[in-house]
Every structure is written in structure tokens, then in C-alpha cells.
């Protein structure tokens, strides 16, 4: 089972390396495929991750300090993940408008790429340590993250352009593999795994929605809905 997550980590890394070559993603109105990928990613969070975390919440309550204040611990962590990436996105966009000031652009680039590098490393780590074990769970997780990476890759390339192609995408690709390598050599308990998945769940929702909602994207609602409904159907029938 260690080798399969490693192979999937390589496949996820390849998404960042090669996604920029798909010309159909780089159009306005937004590509149907990007909206479908975003819908599938969000469906995975609401249909698979959050229900599983809800079942594990009682486990967390028994080990988290001041548990009576954290009855919904996993949901609070999911909110933190959502809020953190919202803050980082606002930071990148606000400071990006001040790109004329020397050094501002590269500083924003490293903050933005650094946060997604850690994010990808977390995903690579969770290829090994998941809230539900088994080949089916691994396959659904890897597929959802691959689709999610396509969405993230598009947004980061649009924001940072050549700098992302030269440096950013390679760092994100390597981060997934590093995360898997660390996960293969370490062990954490179930409450910690649930906490990491909760953080990831909130982060995924924000990172998908921020790409779909801006008016200038001219996003495809029906494609998003189709992707969400299709992945939901797969999750519920397996």
C-alpha cells in the first residue's frame, strides 16, 4: 500500500507540470472542464470528508484540551482552513495591485506559492494517512485531489504567469512527493488525521469557490453542477 500512494503522488505532481499545456483551460468564458473539476472537488468534501469527520468527532472530543468548548472541533478546524486561505488570497490580490513598488510582486509570489506548497505537502501526506482506509477511499481521494489541482494550477498560473511556470509549478509538484515521503515514514493517530482532513476540507471549498465566483471568470454553473452531481453519484454508489 505504500507504493500505490507513491505512484499517485507522482501522478498528482504531474498535474501541475503538464496542466498548463492544455490550451482549452486558458479561455474566457471559463472552460467547462475547469468548472466540472471544481464541482467534483467540492462534492468530495461535502459528501465524503465531512460526514466521515462527523463520525470521528467524538474521538476528538476525548483528546482535545478544553473539549467542552470544542464540541464541533473538526468543523472549527475546517473553518480555520477556509478563513486562512481566504486571507491569503485577499493578501495576494491586494498587494498584487501595488506591483509597481519594487519587490512587492516577488514577495507576494513567495507568500502565495509557499502556502500552496505546504497545502500540497499536506495532500501528499494524506495519501498515506486517511480518515478511511482502503483502495476505494484512496482512489476517490486521489481523483478528487487531481481535479482540484487542475483548478488551483489554473488560478496560480493566471495570477503569477511566467514566475509560476518557471518556479511555482515545480515547487508544488515536488511538495506532493515530499508529503508522501514524510507520510510513509511517520505515523499519527486518528484524531490528528481527522484534524488534518478537516483543515483540508475548508481549504478546498475556499480554493474552488474563489475560482468560480468572480464575474470576470464567466464560470459555467451547469458544468460545475454536473461535476458535483456526477462525483456525488459515484461516491454514493460505491
Amino acid at each position: 500500500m505504500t507504493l500505490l500512494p507513491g505512484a499517485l503522488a507522482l501522478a498528482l505532481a504531474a498535474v501541475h507540470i503538464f496542466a498548463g499545456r492544455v490550451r482549452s483551460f486558458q479561455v474566457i468564458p471559463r472552460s467547462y472542464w475547469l468548472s466540472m473539476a471544481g464541482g467534483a472537488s467540492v462534492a468530495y468534501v461535502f459528501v465524503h470528508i465531512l460526514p466521515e469527520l462527523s463520525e470521528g468527532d467524538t474521538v476528538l472530543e476525548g483528546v482535545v484540551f478544553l473539549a467542552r468548548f470544542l464540541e464541533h472541533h473538526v468543523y472549527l478546524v475546517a473553518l480555520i482552513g477556509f478563513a486562512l486561505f481566504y486571507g491569503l488570497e485577499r493578501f495576494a490580490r491586494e498587494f498584487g495591485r501595488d506591483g509597481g513598488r519594487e519587490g512587492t510582486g516577488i514577495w507576494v509570489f513567495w507568500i502565495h506559492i509557499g502556502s500552496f506548497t505546504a497545502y500540497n505537502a499536506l495532500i501528499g501526506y494524506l495519501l498515506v494517512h486517511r480518515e478511511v482506509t482502503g483502495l476505494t477511499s484512496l482512489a476517490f481521494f486521489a481523483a478528487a485531489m487531481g481535479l482540484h489541482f487542475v483548478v488551483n494550477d489554473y488560478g496560480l498560473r493566471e495570477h503569477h504567469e511566467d514566475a509560476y511556470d518557471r518556479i511555482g509549478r515545480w515547487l508544488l509538484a515536488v511538495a506532493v512527493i515530499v508529503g508522501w515521503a514524510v507520510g510513509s515514514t511517520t505515523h499519527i493517530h486518528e484524531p490528528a488525521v481527522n484534524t488534518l482532513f478537516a483543515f483540508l476540507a475548508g481549504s478546498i471549498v475556499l480554493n474552488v469557490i474563489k475560482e468560480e465566483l468572480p464575474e470576470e471568470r464567466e464560470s459555467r454553473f451547469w458544468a460545475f453542477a454536473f461535476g458535483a452531481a456526477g462525483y456525488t453519484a459515484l461516491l454514493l454508489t460505491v
Side-chain angles (χ1 to χ4, degrees):
M1 285 295 293
T2 303
L3 293 178
L4 181 56
L8 292 173
L10 289 172
L12 290 176
V15 172
H16 284 300
I17 295 173
F18 297 110
R21 298 184 180 181
V22 182
R23 297 298 179 188
S24 62
F25 291 165
Q26 305 170 22
V27 296
I28 298 293
R30 188 171 175 82
S31 167
Y32 287 107
W33 297 109
L34 284 172
S35 290
M36 287 175 61
S41 303
V42 170
Y44 182 77
V45 170
F46 285 104
V47 179
H48 183 79
I49 295 182
L50 292 181
E52 292 296 336
L53 292 177
S54 178
E55 293 178 7
D57 202 38
T58 55
V59 176
L60 287 168
E61 289 175 18
V63 297
V64 177
F65 182 62
L66 296 178
R68 66 180 180 274
F69 297 109
L70 298 173
E71 293 178 358
H72 303 291
H73 176 77
V74 292
Y75 299 105
L76 291 175
V77 176
L79 177 60
I80 290 170
F82 185 97
L84 176 62
F85 272 89
Y86 175 73
L88 288 170
E89 184 63 22
R90 293 305 305 166
F91 172 85
R93 291 189 179 277
E94 289 297 324
F95 279 81
R97 294 172 185 168
D98 195 22
R101 197 169 69 189
E102 185 177 358
T104 300
I106 195 65
W107 189 49
V108 170
F109 171 79
W110 283 114
I111 293 292
H112 215 178
I113 295 301
S115 63
F116 275 94
T117 297
Y119 182 72
N120 277 21
L122 172 61
I123 291 172
Y125 188 86
L126 293 175
L127 283 169
V128 182
H129 303 285
R130 296 180 313 285
E131 85 286 18
V132 178
T133 58
L135 290 175
T136 301
S137 172
L138 176 60
F140 275 115
F141 176 68
M145 294 304 99
L147 294 170
H148 182 49
F149 279 6
V150 170
V151 176
N152 286 349
D153 189 270
Y154 172 84
L156 290 168
R157 178 172 286 103
E158 181 186 50
H159 192 92
H160 297 292
E161 300 176 340
D162 290 343
Y164 178 76
D165 278 328
R166 287 186 289 104
I167 302 171
R169 62 177 176 143
W170 297 103
L171 290 177
L172 268 57
V174 170
V176 183
I177 299 170
V178 171
W180 162 78
V182 172
S184 299
T185 57
T186 61
H187 175 74
I188 59 175
H189 297 291
E190 181 183 353
V193 173
N194 287 347
T195 301
L196 292 175
F197 261 100
F199 180 85
L200 179 64
S203 304
I204 289 173
V205 173
L206 186 280
N207 284 317
V208 170
I209 295 304
K210 75 179 176 62
E211 294 297 329
E212 288 292 323
L213 286 184
E215 184 176 353
E216 64 270 16
R217 290 279 200 276
E218 298 184 33
S219 300
R220 311 283 193 167
F221 168 74
W222 292 112
F224 181 90
F226 181 80
Y231 212 76
T232 296
L234 285 175
L235 289 167
L236 294 178
T237 55
V238 175

